[in-house]
Amino acid sequence: MTCPEELDPTLLLTPRACQVVDAARTVLERQGWETLTMRTLADELGIAAPSLYKHFSSKDALKTQLVALALKENGEALRPVTTVSRLVRRYRETATANPQLYRLSTSGPIDRAALPPGLEEWSGSPFFEATGDPHRGQALWASAHGMVILELDGRFPTGSAPESTWRELVRHFS
């Protein structure tokens, strides 16, 4: 299911701003957020760094756009909600396919006021739909998020997320 048009953050961007976001995403996945600078981004695009400020007022404004994009893509990937198993599998696949974008969108503070109103709620609502309860949905998301972070960081004792642990998570919430 695609993101509802009124929540789609990309519809508010010019074509050139979309190119900037795409390039930022490429640099983000290659280098991580902390090392992404407007200069490295400009180099990626083959333009002068000051030109970026025509499209984004700051690195934080660009971050907000990347977070909005991640929320949109995640919400789309999780739909339609059919089972807890499918939901958790798609969540894991989406997060591990774009680990730096995932980290950027799920850690640290975000400027909710700068996001399209309702996007964050829409993105996370599949967890409520799968469980039927807002607190149970948050618990499922928190568990899946924690497991994804452990997997991305190689923190499971085996060095990778044990499939039996993922199955137990699904069993618990199904």
Side-chain angles (χ1 to χ4, degrees):
M1 174 184 199
T2 59
C3 183
E5 192 171 292
E6 68 274 10
L7 301 180
D8 189 340
T10 61
L11 294 179
L12 302 175
L13 298 178
T14 65
R16 187 61 168 156
C18 286
Q19 291 174 337
V20 172
V21 171
D22 288 344
R25 184 178 185 162
T26 299
V27 174
L28 171 69
E29 288 302 335
R30 188 172 57 228
Q31 297 178 236
W33 181 251
E34 295 307 315
T35 58
L36 185 149
T37 65
M38 296 304 252
R39 182 168 307 284
T40 58
L41 180 54
D43 290 345
E44 181 78 15
L45 288 161
I47 63 173
S51 298
L52 293 171
Y53 294 98
K54 295 176 185 172
H55 307 287
F56 295 96
S57 61
S58 66
K59 185 179 172 186
D60 284 340
L62 180 60
K63 176 183 178 181
T64 298
Q65 188 61 45
L66 286 165
V67 168
L69 179 64
L71 292 171
K72 173 188 180 281
E73 290 179 0
N74 195 55
E76 289 174 339
L78 300 181
R79 289 176 168 81
V81 177
T82 54
T83 64
V84 169
S85 177
R86 182 185 181 282
L87 175 75
V88 167
R89 180 175 39 81
R90 293 294 295 144
Y91 185 82
R92 180 183 180 195
E93 289 170 355
T94 302
T96 57
N98 303 285
Q100 296 299 333
L101 184 63
Y102 177 79
R103 288 177 193 281
L104 186 68
S105 67
T106 61
S107 63
I110 60 172
D111 184 358
R112 285 189 169 96
L115 294 172
L119 178 61
E120 186 179 18
E121 183 179 342
W122 175 82
S123 177
S125 66
F127 290 93
F128 168 75
E129 293 171 36
T131 62
D133 178 81
H135 300 292
R136 191 166 168 82
Q138 284 182 334
L140 174 57
W141 174 80
S143 299
H145 169 67
M147 288 186 57
V148 162
I149 292 296
L150 289 172
E151 185 171 359
L152 292 176
D153 290 347
R155 295 292 304 271
F156 279 100
T158 60
S160 63
E163 297 307 315
S164 58
T165 305
W166 282 102
R167 283 192 299 275
E168 181 58 27
L169 174 68
V170 168
R171 188 198 64 72
H172 180 77
F173 283 95
S174 293

Coordinates of all heavy atoms in Angstrom, one line a residue, residues 7-10 13 18 21-22 25 62-76 101 105 115-116 119 122-123:
L7 N 0.3 12.5 3.1 CA 1.4 12.2 4.0 C 2.8 12.1 3.3 O 3.8 12.0 4.0 CB 1.2 10.9 4.8 CG -0.1 10.9 5.7 CD1 -0.2 9.5 6.4 CD2 -0.1 12.0 6.7
D8 N 2.8 12.0 2.0 CA 4.0 11.7 1.2 C 4.9 12.9 1.3 O 4.6 13.9 0.7 CB 3.6 11.3 -0.2 CG 4.8 10.8 -1.0 OD1 5.9 11.1 -0.6 OD2 4.5 10.2 -2.0
P9 N 6.1 12.8 2.0 CA 7.0 13.9 2.1 C 7.6 14.3 0.8 O 8.1 15.4 0.6 CB 8.0 13.4 3.1 CG 8.0 11.9 3.0 CD 6.6 11.6 2.6
T10 N 7.7 13.4 -0.2 CA 8.4 13.6 -1.5 C 7.6 14.6 -2.3 O 8.2 15.2 -3.2 CB 8.7 12.4 -2.2 OG1 7.5 11.6 -2.5 CG2 9.7 11.5 -1.4
L13 N 8.7 18.3 -2.4 CA 10.0 18.6 -2.9 C 10.1 18.9 -4.4 O 9.3 18.3 -5.1 CB 11.0 17.4 -2.6 CG 11.2 17.0 -1.1 CD1 12.1 15.8 -1.0 CD2 11.7 18.2 -0.3
C18 N 14.7 16.4 -4.6 CA 14.6 14.9 -4.6 C 16.0 14.3 -4.9 O 16.4 13.3 -4.3 CB 13.6 14.4 -5.5 SG 11.9 14.7 -5.0
V21 N 18.2 14.6 -1.8 CA 17.8 13.5 -0.9 C 18.3 12.2 -1.3 O 18.9 11.4 -0.5 CB 16.3 13.5 -0.6 CG1 15.9 12.3 0.2 CG2 15.8 14.8 0.0
D22 N 18.2 11.9 -2.6 CA 18.7 10.6 -3.1 C 20.2 10.5 -2.9 O 20.8 9.5 -2.4 CB 18.4 10.4 -4.6 CG 16.9 10.1 -4.8 OD1 16.2 9.8 -3.8 OD2 16.5 10.3 -6.0
R25 N 21.0 10.0 0.8 CA 20.8 8.7 1.2 C 22.0 7.8 0.8 O 22.4 6.9 1.6 CB 19.5 8.2 0.6 CG 19.1 6.8 1.0 CD 17.8 6.4 0.4 NE 17.4 5.2 0.9 CZ 16.2 4.7 0.8 NH1 15.2 5.4 0.2 NH2 15.8 3.5 1.3
L62 N 17.7 18.5 6.2 CA 17.9 17.3 5.4 C 17.6 16.0 6.1 O 17.0 15.1 5.6 CB 19.3 17.3 4.8 CG 19.7 16.2 3.9 CD1 18.8 16.1 2.7 CD2 21.2 16.3 3.5
K63 N 18.1 16.0 7.4 CA 17.9 14.8 8.2 C 16.4 14.6 8.4 O 15.9 13.5 8.3 CB 18.5 15.1 9.6 CG 18.2 13.9 10.6 CD 18.8 14.2 12.0 CE 18.5 13.1 12.9 NZ 19.0 13.4 14.3
T64 N 15.6 15.6 8.6 CA 14.2 15.5 8.8 C 13.5 14.9 7.5 O 12.7 14.0 7.6 CB 13.5 16.8 9.1 OG1 14.0 17.3 10.4 CG2 12.0 16.7 9.2
Q65 N 14.0 15.3 6.4 CA 13.5 14.8 5.1 C 13.9 13.3 5.0 O 13.0 12.5 4.5 CB 14.0 15.6 3.9 CG 13.4 15.2 2.6 CD 11.9 15.4 2.6 OE1 11.4 16.5 3.0 NE2 11.1 14.5 2.1
L66 N 15.1 12.9 5.4 CA 15.5 11.5 5.3 C 14.6 10.7 6.3 O 14.2 9.6 5.9 CB 17.0 11.4 5.6 CG 17.9 11.8 4.5 CD1 19.3 12.0 5.0 CD2 17.8 10.9 3.3
V67 N 14.4 11.2 7.5 CA 13.5 10.5 8.4 C 12.1 10.3 7.9 O 11.6 9.2 8.0 CB 13.5 11.2 9.8 CG1 12.4 10.7 10.7 CG2 14.9 11.1 10.5
A68 N 11.6 11.4 7.3 CA 10.3 11.3 6.7 C 10.2 10.2 5.6 O 9.3 9.4 5.4 CB 9.8 12.6 6.1
L69 N 11.3 10.2 4.8 CA 11.4 9.2 3.7 C 11.4 7.8 4.3 O 10.7 6.9 3.8 CB 12.6 9.4 2.8 CG 12.9 8.5 1.7 CD1 11.8 8.5 0.7 CD2 14.2 8.7 1.1
A70 N 12.2 7.6 5.3 CA 12.3 6.3 6.0 C 10.9 5.9 6.6 O 10.5 4.7 6.4 CB 13.3 6.3 7.1
L71 N 10.2 6.8 7.2 CA 8.9 6.5 7.7 C 7.9 6.1 6.6 O 7.2 5.1 6.7 CB 8.3 7.7 8.5 CG 9.0 8.0 9.8 CD1 8.5 9.4 10.3 CD2 8.9 6.9 10.8
K72 N 8.0 6.8 5.5 CA 7.1 6.5 4.3 C 7.4 5.1 3.8 O 6.5 4.3 3.6 CB 7.3 7.5 3.2 CG 6.6 7.2 1.9 CD 7.1 8.2 0.8 CE 6.4 7.9 -0.5 NZ 6.9 6.8 -1.2
E73 N 8.7 4.8 3.6 CA 9.1 3.5 3.0 C 8.8 2.4 4.0 O 8.3 1.3 3.6 CB 10.6 3.5 2.7 CG 10.9 4.4 1.5 CD 12.3 4.4 1.1 OE1 13.2 3.7 1.8 OE2 12.7 5.1 0.1
N74 N 9.0 2.6 5.3 CA 8.7 1.6 6.3 C 7.2 1.3 6.3 O 6.8 0.1 6.3 CB 9.2 2.0 7.6 CG 9.3 0.8 8.6 OD1 9.9 -0.2 8.3 ND2 8.6 1.0 9.7
G75 N 6.4 2.3 6.4 CA 5.0 2.2 6.4 C 4.4 1.4 5.2 O 3.5 0.6 5.3
E76 N 5.0 1.7 4.0 CA 4.6 1.0 2.8 C 5.0 -0.4 2.8 O 4.3 -1.3 2.4 CB 5.2 1.7 1.6 CG 4.6 3.1 1.3 CD 5.2 3.8 0.2 OE1 6.4 3.6 -0.2 OE2 4.5 4.7 -0.4
L101 N 19.9 4.5 7.2 CA 18.7 5.2 7.2 C 17.8 4.7 8.3 O 17.1 5.5 9.0 CB 18.0 5.0 5.8 CG 16.7 5.8 5.6 CD1 16.9 7.3 5.6 CD2 16.0 5.3 4.3
S105 N 16.5 7.1 11.5 CA 15.0 7.4 11.7 C 14.5 6.8 13.0 O 13.4 7.1 13.4 CB 14.2 6.8 10.5 OG 14.3 5.4 10.5
L115 N 7.8 17.1 10.3 CA 7.3 15.9 9.6 C 5.9 16.2 9.1 O 5.1 16.9 9.7 CB 7.3 14.6 10.4 CG 8.6 14.1 10.9 CD1 8.4 13.0 11.9 CD2 9.5 13.6 9.7
P116 N 5.5 15.6 8.0 CA 4.1 15.7 7.6 C 3.2 15.2 8.7 O 3.4 14.1 9.2 CB 4.0 14.8 6.3 CG 5.4 14.8 5.8 CD 6.3 14.8 7.0
L119 N 2.3 11.3 9.5 CA 3.1 10.3 8.9 C 3.7 9.3 9.8 O 3.7 8.1 9.6 CB 4.3 11.0 8.1 CG 5.3 10.1 7.4 CD1 4.6 9.3 6.4 CD2 6.4 10.9 6.8
W122 N 1.0 6.9 10.9 CA 0.6 6.0 9.8 C 1.7 4.9 9.6 O 1.4 3.8 9.4 CB 0.4 6.8 8.5 CG 0.2 6.0 7.3 CD1 -1.0 5.4 6.9 CD2 1.2 5.5 6.4 NE1 -0.8 4.7 5.8 CE2 0.5 4.7 5.4 CE3 2.5 5.7 6.2 CZ2 1.2 4.1 4.4 CZ3 3.2 5.1 5.2 CH2 2.5 4.3 4.3
S123 N 2.9 5.3 9.7 CA 4.0 4.4 9.5 C 4.0 3.3 10.6 O 4.3 2.1 10.3 CB 5.4 5.2 9.6 OG 6.5 4.3 9.4

